[in-house]
Amino acid sequence: MRPVVRAFEDRDQDTVVALSLRAWAPVFASLENVLGDSGVYAQMHPDWRADQRRAVQQACGSENIHVWVAEVDTLVAGFVAVRLDHEASLGEIYMVAVDPDHQRSGVGTALTSFALEWIKEQGMAVAMVETGGDPGHAPARRVYERAGFVQLPIARYFKKL
């Protein structure tokens, strides 16, 4: 069944937080693997679940961030959060997550397409999304590339002090 995208409602918050944590678990495992024993991962993400829970809750409650959910068979299967920079005419897909049970079924594509159309309707000239270059973010990169995003390689280095 095709996902249906609708506006986020307060009653969705617990579900969105829970699916986000499940969706991002492999991403944080990948980051931990990439950063190895350098101590950087432990310093930056001592409790990634608490940090991500807080970040999702803040995004869902922000007046400056617009949030939608994707439903499959009336169950929330993913969400997308967008923020706009009117001065720069830039719309940013700030946060997106798809429940692992619904990944690779078109939910991420539906959310990304919806967000891009909404950003365009708001008069923005450019859309942006940021993601990691590690293996855990590979599925997200595929969605964004299929949506027509062009990757700007950026090197970001970390060192534990």
Side-chain angles (χ1 to χ4, degrees):
M1 177 175 217
R2 283 185 58 120
V4 174
V5 180
R6 65 162 174 82
F8 170 85
E9 298 173 4
D10 290 339
R11 66 183 169 94
D12 298 320
Q13 184 164 304
D14 290 343
T15 302
V16 165
V17 167
L19 76 84
S20 297
L21 295 178
R22 288 192 303 276
W24 292 328
V27 169
F28 281 93
S30 176
L31 291 174
E32 185 173 24
N33 186 52
V34 167
L35 292 170
D37 294 331
S38 66
V40 172
Y41 179 84
Q43 182 67 40
M44 292 178 65
H45 305 291
D47 187 353
W48 73 263
R49 285 174 182 82
D51 293 342
Q52 288 305 119
R53 176 178 284 107
R54 196 168 26 261
V56 172
Q57 290 169 338
Q58 287 173 350
C60 292
S62 173
E63 292 179 10
N64 300 319
I65 298 176
H66 306 273
V67 182
W68 297 269
V69 297
E71 287 185 338
V72 175
D73 294 330
T74 71
L75 298 175
V76 174
F79 89 107
V80 64
V82 175
R83 60 184 174 188
L84 302 177
D85 180 340
H86 290 281
E87 288 184 26
S89 192
L90 174 74
E92 177 187 4
I93 296 177
Y94 174 66
M95 199 177 278
V96 62
V98 177
D99 190 295
D101 292 340
H102 295 279
Q103 291 176 356
R104 299 191 177 173
S105 67
V107 173
T109 297
L111 288 165
T112 300
S113 296
F114 181 91
L116 288 173
E117 187 60 32
W118 186 83
I119 290 167
K120 184 178 178 181
E121 289 171 1
Q122 301 309 302
M124 300 298 108
V126 176
M128 179 192 86
V129 64
E130 186 176 315
T131 193
D134 61 288
H137 285 93
R141 289 194 306 273
R142 283 192 294 275
V143 169
Y144 305 143
E145 289 166 8
R146 283 194 310 266
F149 282 94
V150 176
Q151 182 185 26
L152 173 63
I154 296 174
R156 185 180 280 178
Y157 294 89
F158 296 91
K159 176 178 177 37
K160 173 83 168 96
L161 301 177

